[in-house]
Amino acid sequence: MDKRKLIVGLLWDAGLPTAVFYLCRALGLDPMPALIAGGLAALARVGYVAVVRRRLNGLSALVAATFLLLLVVSALTGDPRLLLVKESILTGAAGLLLVGSCALGRPVLFALVRRLGAGGDAAPGRWEERWRTEPALRRQFFLLSLVTGSGLLLDAVVRVVLVYLLPIDTMAGLSTALHVTTLVLLGGWVMWYRRRRVQAAHPVTETGSEHTHAR
């Protein structure tokens, strides 16, 4: 998936429920039914992707399942703010998984790369060999997991606190904005870090640079 499709998908996943919420509020609905409507819009998008595109987004399905669970809890407790923390719960869980896997000695990001990396059936074995023999590779995956995991945890904690400090109408939009901003910042840092590692592994010598300019 290219970056453009990834960004468009993120905007749809994050923006659609928020837009539906504010539309419902403009039509005079109370916060609870407006939040429910926004969540149902997210469910509809999951169904659309699964049926029309024949592709079930596992993360979107997990968000939908979390929404349904919190909907039941919100109905039982009468607290609509619980519906606003569903993304924070998932974000915090992802952050804990990333940081916790480092404490166990094998970052989960490495497991994902090993499983998804190109190269056929022999690729997992090559990744395992690199993990055993390349300390720099291990440090890279530990750092990537710790930074992204810590960022997600901080995002989750801040948004949960703000949900219970600020009005629902404010946090419905602000929570989405904070979440998207965190993902963009973390994604930008990951790309910067990867580019820096590539440059460090393949430095451009002064002589090579002079030849390049001469041409």
Side-chain angles (χ1 to χ4, degrees), residues 152-199:
L152 292 175
L153 277 173
L154 179 62
D155 169 67
V157 171
V158 169
R159 287 192 292 136
V160 168
V161 171
L162 291 178
V163 161
Y164 286 93
L165 290 178
L166 299 177
I168 293 177
D169 286 345
T170 299
M171 278 307 298
L174 181 58
S175 179
T176 299
L178 290 173
H179 186 47
V180 171
T181 300
T182 298
L183 294 180
V184 170
L185 290 176
L186 288 175
W189 179 84
V190 169
M191 289 188 290
W192 170 83
Y193 179 74
R194 289 179 61 187
R195 185 165 58 247
R196 181 183 172 211
R197 296 303 306 173
V198 170
Q199 292 173 348

Side-chain angles (χ1 to χ4, degrees), residues 39-52:
L40 292 177
L43 290 179
R45 171 164 166 73
V46 172
Y48 169 81
V49 172
V51 175
V52 177

Side-chain angles (χ1 to χ4, degrees), residues 80-212:
R81 295 178 188 272
L82 289 173
L83 295 176
L84 280 176
V85 302
K86 62 181 184 297
E87 287 90 358
S88 297
I89 292 174
L90 294 172
T91 300
L96 283 174
L97 178 62
L98 288 165
V99 174
S101 65
C102 292
L104 295 176
R106 179 65 68 96
V108 70
L109 283 181
F110 174 78
L112 291 174
V113 170
R114 185 190 63 173
R115 181 174 180 179
L116 301 176
D121 295 336
R126 288 200 296 269
W127 277 106
E128 284 295 335
E129 179 65 20
R130 292 189 64 190
W131 178 263
R132 289 193 298 270
T133 60
E134 299 182 26
L137 180 74
R138 296 195 295 270
R139 288 194 297 270
Q140 291 174 34
F141 276 103
F142 273 110
L143 182 61
L144 286 169
S145 296
L146 286 172
V147 172
T148 55
S150 299
L152 292 175
L153 277 173
L154 179 62
D155 169 67
V157 171
V158 169
R159 287 192 292 136
V160 168
V161 171
L162 291 178
V163 161
Y164 286 93
L165 290 178
L166 299 177
I168 293 177
D169 286 345
T170 299
M171 278 307 298
L174 181 58
S175 179
T176 299
L178 290 173
H179 186 47
V180 171
T181 300
T182 298
L183 294 180
V184 170
L185 290 176
L186 288 175
W189 179 84
V190 169
M191 289 188 290
W192 170 83
Y193 179 74
R194 289 179 61 187
R195 185 165 58 247
R196 181 183 172 211
R197 296 303 306 173
V198 170
Q199 292 173 348
H202 305 284
V204 178
T205 63
E206 184 177 348
T207 303
S209 177
E210 290 176 355
H211 286 318
T212 300

